[in-house]
Every structure is written in structure tokens, then in C-alpha cells.
Amino acid sequence: MNIVVLEELKAYIEPLTPDEHDALERSLLAEGCRDALVLWGDILVDGHNRYGICTKHGLPFQTVQNPRFQSMEDVHLWMIDQHLGRRSLSDFQRGVLALRKREIVAERRSRAKAEADQTTAPVPEAPTGDAPWEGEAPAAALAAVLEPKPLQSREDIARAARLSASQVGMIEKIQKQAAPEVVAAVRAGDISLNAAAVVATLPEEEQRAAAAAGKDELKQAAKRVRESRRKPRDESAEASSDAAPEAAPASDEVSALRQRVAQLEAENAELRQQVQMLSAQLV
């Protein structure tokens, strides 16, 4: 059997860690390769790690063709959907895949619409009687081409990746602004999505320096950025208070109650966000 391994597809999804690869190798040696490798013609689409291990040890394996593949875009979308359903991926990895899916679907829909606009002729009046249409109505033809459904909003992406909308926003910021070293740190789990998104707002040189110093320094850099954002707001509030000395102060009791209400609202908002993130991870 001639199986072609394309490096493009092999590297399309996050590789296994050394520990994960070792665990898979032990499993295959003990139980054999139970799941068939997925092919598109001669091209290996799914099962690169299993194929490599089976070839190394001379283990038998089965293959199956996926007849739905018509293009490399179909292959990419299928691979993304397969991996989005796996629990072994981190939040960051799932978010990146969902964002990648959005780009592929948006691009192919835009391309299909442009082609349809160029080739679509005016729709003739419906024929009388039961005679069928000679050609498919343009709207129906376009609808068939435009599947799958696009991920238009951040909420759509969040549902596809089993994340919160705020987490998707952090991942977008990391992809756009973070230095490669910071991206590598969040991929490795050295810092959280939140911390990486905060560090990504720093100049690239500062990001690289923090990453080179290790994960503790990255966390400290995120902490410094948060504190620097908090300080101007505190100073602004103090300046406003000094600018209006003649204003009649509220009673101590009312002021204390207002502060307590604000504190409780902030705590509730934080708890809701934590519950949302935990629920997304447990799905």
C-alpha cells in the first residue's frame, strides 16, 4: 500500500507531547492499532502518529477512504472538526482551531459567492404544469456551495471551541499581538490565556525579554501591566475628589453601603466568569 504523508497535513494540528506520544506507543504495542487511518486517495489525513509507530514496529493497521473530500479545504475542515471534539487539546489550541475554521469557511463562501455572481443568469419564470426545472435555481445552488455554516460572531467561535467569548477574545489578541515566545509559553501551559493576553499588549522587545526570563517573569510582567492600568484610574478618582471639595459628602453609613454594593457586584461578576470558564472546560 502506497501511503503519502504530506508535511503540511502532519503539522496542521498541534503535535503530541513526548509523554503523549510515549503513551500512544505503549497502547499500540499492547492492544494493536484498532482505529483505521483515514486516507484521501493515497494521502494520509488522520493517524500520522499511529502510522509512524506502526511502521516503526511492523504493526498491522487498517485504512479507510473518506469519499466526502473534494479539496484540501475539505480535508482541513474535517481535521479541525475532528480535533475540536477531543478533550486532550488545551483551551488555546481549541480556540486557534476554531478561528482557523472561521477563516477557511469565510474565504470559501466569499469565493463561491463571487463565482455565483459571475455565472448566475436571471431566473426564468416557473414552467407551467408539473415540468421540472431544467437547471437548479441559483439560490439553491449557492446555498449548497456555501455550507458549512460560517462562524460569524465571537459567540459562534466560542461554542465551536467550547470556550467563553472572553477567552476567544484573548486568543485573538494573542494571535495578533503576542511575540512568538509568548505564544510558545501559552501553548506549553506556562502562563494562562489571561496573562498572555495582558503581556501581548507590551512592546515586542519587552515580551521577548520576559519570555526569555521564564514563566515566573511572564506572570510578573502581566501583574505589572494590570497594576499600571489600575493606578491611573485610582489617581483620576482622587483628582476628581480634590476638584470638588465643596460637594456635600454622603453620610458614612451610605458611603459604606455603596462601597459594599460595588464590591459585591464585582465579586459576582468574577464568580460568573469563573463558572462560565469551568462549564466550558467540563463540556
Side-chain angles (χ1 to χ4, degrees):
M1 180 184 300
N2 181 35
I3 294 180
V4 178
V5 176
L6 297 182
E7 290 301 320
E8 170 199 352
L9 294 183
K10 186 176 180 180
Y12 196 72
I13 303 297
E14 287 290 315
L16 297 180
T17 65
D19 288 343
E20 290 170 338
H21 189 276
D22 290 343
L24 176 61
E25 187 170 22
R26 289 194 298 270
S27 174
L28 292 176
L29 288 171
E31 303 175 12
C33 187
R34 295 178 295 181
D35 298 325
L37 311 183
V38 179
L39 302 179
W40 178 33
D42 293 336
I43 298 174
L44 180 60
V45 173
D46 185 62
H48 290 85
N49 292 295
R50 285 176 284 137
Y51 176 67
I53 294 171
C54 288
T55 302
K56 173 183 175 182
H57 295 285
L59 301 176
F61 57 85
Q62 296 180 336
T63 63
V64 61
Q65 291 284 338
N66 189 325
R68 298 180 61 184
F69 296 150
Q70 301 297 320
S71 67
M72 189 59 72
E73 281 185 346
D74 292 338
V75 172
H76 288 165
L77 288 172
W78 184 87
M79 292 177 71
I80 289 172
D81 287 339
Q82 291 296 305
H83 284 76
L84 281 176
R86 296 178 179 173
R87 296 181 179 273
S88 58
L89 294 184
S90 68
D91 292 343
F92 181 75
Q93 290 170 328
R94 289 200 309 276
V96 168
L97 288 176
L99 290 168
R100 191 180 295 169
K101 179 176 181 178
R102 178 185 65 177
E103 294 174 0
I104 294 173
V105 173
E107 182 179 344
R108 75 188 298 178
R109 287 174 67 89
S110 177
R111 186 172 62 248
K113 188 176 184 305
E115 293 173 356
D117 289 342
Q118 293 176 357
T119 59
T120 298
V123 181
E125 294 183 1
T128 58
D130 296 329
W133 291 94
E134 293 184 1
E136 191 176 31
L142 182 58
V145 173
L146 293 186
E147 290 297 332
K149 183 180 178 181
L151 303 178
Q152 294 179 327
S153 67
R154 187 170 286 174
E155 286 72 20
D156 291 337
I157 299 169
R159 281 192 294 272
R162 306 196 310 277
L163 301 172
S164 68
S166 62
Q167 286 176 305
V168 173
M170 294 176 193
I171 293 171
E172 288 181 301
K173 179 179 288 187
I174 293 168
Q175 284 192 304
K176 293 177 181 178
Q177 300 176 224
E181 293 83 353
V182 176
V183 175
V186 73
R187 284 184 187 277
D190 291 340
I191 55 172
S192 65
L193 284 177
N194 190 301
V198 172
V199 172
T201 63
L202 293 171
E204 185 170 345
E205 291 184 0
E206 293 184 31
Q207 294 184 47
R208 291 179 182 274
K215 61 182 181 181
D216 290 338
E217 177 57 28
L218 279 170
K219 294 175 183 177
Q220 288 300 316
K223 182 179 179 180
R224 288 193 294 270
V225 173
R226 294 190 187 102
E227 290 175 347
S228 68
R229 291 174 178 173
R230 199 176 298 123
K231 187 175 180 181
R233 288 199 295 269
D234 294 342
E235 291 177 348
S236 176
E238 184 179 347
S240 298
S241 176
D242 293 342
E246 298 177 1
S251 67
D252 292 342
E253 183 177 355
V254 172
S255 178
L257 286 172
R258 287 176 177 171
Q259 292 178 2
R260 182 56 179 161
V261 169
Q263 181 182 359
L264 289 172
E265 289 178 345
E267 291 175 356
N268 285 337
E270 184 176 356
L271 286 172
R272 283 195 296 271
Q273 184 177 9
Q274 292 176 357
V275 169
Q276 185 179 17
M277 293 174 65
L278 287 172
S279 298
Q281 293 174 355
L282 292 174
V283 172

